[in-house]
Amino acid sequence: MRAQKITSRRSVQTYLMAVGLMILGLALLALCVAAWFQGVEPLWSPILFGLLGVYMVALGVDEGWLSGLEVTPNHLRIQSFGRWQEYPLARVEAVDRLRDILGGGLQLVLIGPEGLAIRVPLRRYANAVQLTQALLDVLWLKNRNLILMPRLARQFGSPPYGVLAATDK
């Protein structure tokens, strides 16, 4: 019996990258506070870079503990900063693969009509391959004419993979 829902699992790399972002953000914030008290001119520059440090800490917290992904036969759910967003998959016509800006993890782009594009960050999840195959299985079930871009097709082949769809093999 096949699973009805595939949920992301964080890996050691996910936590290392999250902690690294938080440490860098705190270091940048500490440098900016020190520069502020030393009277660096213009005064807005340590404020601006200090805000960047705060953003890096928040991004690290999101990356490590508040983000997630869930694939079911009916929808895709992406969690960011603790909030879930649900995306319907019926209108997706093509899928491409990119490298995520944070650490080079895998990222899928679901392409639909009229400029619809959904970015699916797989980051450094321990089960990124299984999540990708499950998502491609569901998309293939919704649209048998699904177009896989060449980079993605070379890496994974063509669906079904047997994660959320039956294989013909």
Side-chain angles (χ1 to χ4, degrees), residues 8 14 20 28 44 46 59 68 92 117 120 126 129-130 139 141 144-145 153 168:
S8 60
T14 305
L28 182 59
W44 59 265
L59 194 60
V92 174
V120 182
V129 171
Q130 184 185 26
L139 292 172
L141 287 172
R144 299 291 172 125
N145 297 320
D168 297 333

Side-chain angles (χ1 to χ4, degrees), residues 12-22 63 102-103 123-124:
V12 174
Q13 287 179 328
T14 305
Y15 292 116
L16 288 175
M17 189 165 45
V19 170
L21 276 170
M22 292 169 58
E63 179 73 21
L102 291 175
R123 294 189 172 103
R124 297 287 182 176

Side-chain angles (χ1 to χ4, degrees), residues 88-96 109-118 136 139-140 142-149 152:
L89 299 173
R91 297 178 52 206
V92 174
E93 297 173 349
V95 183
D96 198 5
V109 179
L110 311 180
I111 305 163
E114 302 166 4
L116 172 72
I118 302 168
L136 292 175
L139 292 172
W140 179 78
K142 302 280 185 198
N143 179 5
R144 299 291 172 125
N145 297 320
L146 180 69
I147 300 169
L148 295 182
M149 296 301 169
L152 188 62

Side-chain angles (χ1 to χ4, degrees), residues 22-123:
M22 292 169 58
I23 289 171
L24 286 173
L26 289 172
L28 182 59
L29 186 60
L31 287 172
C32 290
V33 168
W36 174 271
F37 284 118
Q38 290 177 2
V40 171
E41 289 292 331
L43 286 177
W44 59 265
S45 62
I47 294 172
L48 181 66
F49 286 107
L51 289 175
L52 178 64
V54 170
Y55 177 73
M56 287 175 69
V57 170
L59 194 60
V61 169
D62 179 52
E63 179 73 21
W65 294 274
L66 301 178
S67 64
L69 190 66
E70 179 182 283
V71 179
T72 69
N74 299 317
H75 63 268
L76 165 70
R77 293 179 67 203
I78 300 174
Q79 183 184 27
S80 181
F81 287 102
R83 293 180 27 181
W84 288 96
Q85 282 188 310
E86 190 170 310
Y87 296 96
L89 299 173
R91 297 178 52 206
V92 174
E93 297 173 349
V95 183
D96 198 5
R97 174 184 70 86
L98 299 172
R99 284 284 166 203
D100 194 347
I101 192 170
L102 291 175
L106 182 65
Q107 185 177 67
L108 296 180
V109 179
L110 311 180
I111 305 163
E114 302 166 4
L116 172 72
I118 302 168
R119 289 183 177 245
V120 182
L122 295 169
R123 294 189 172 103

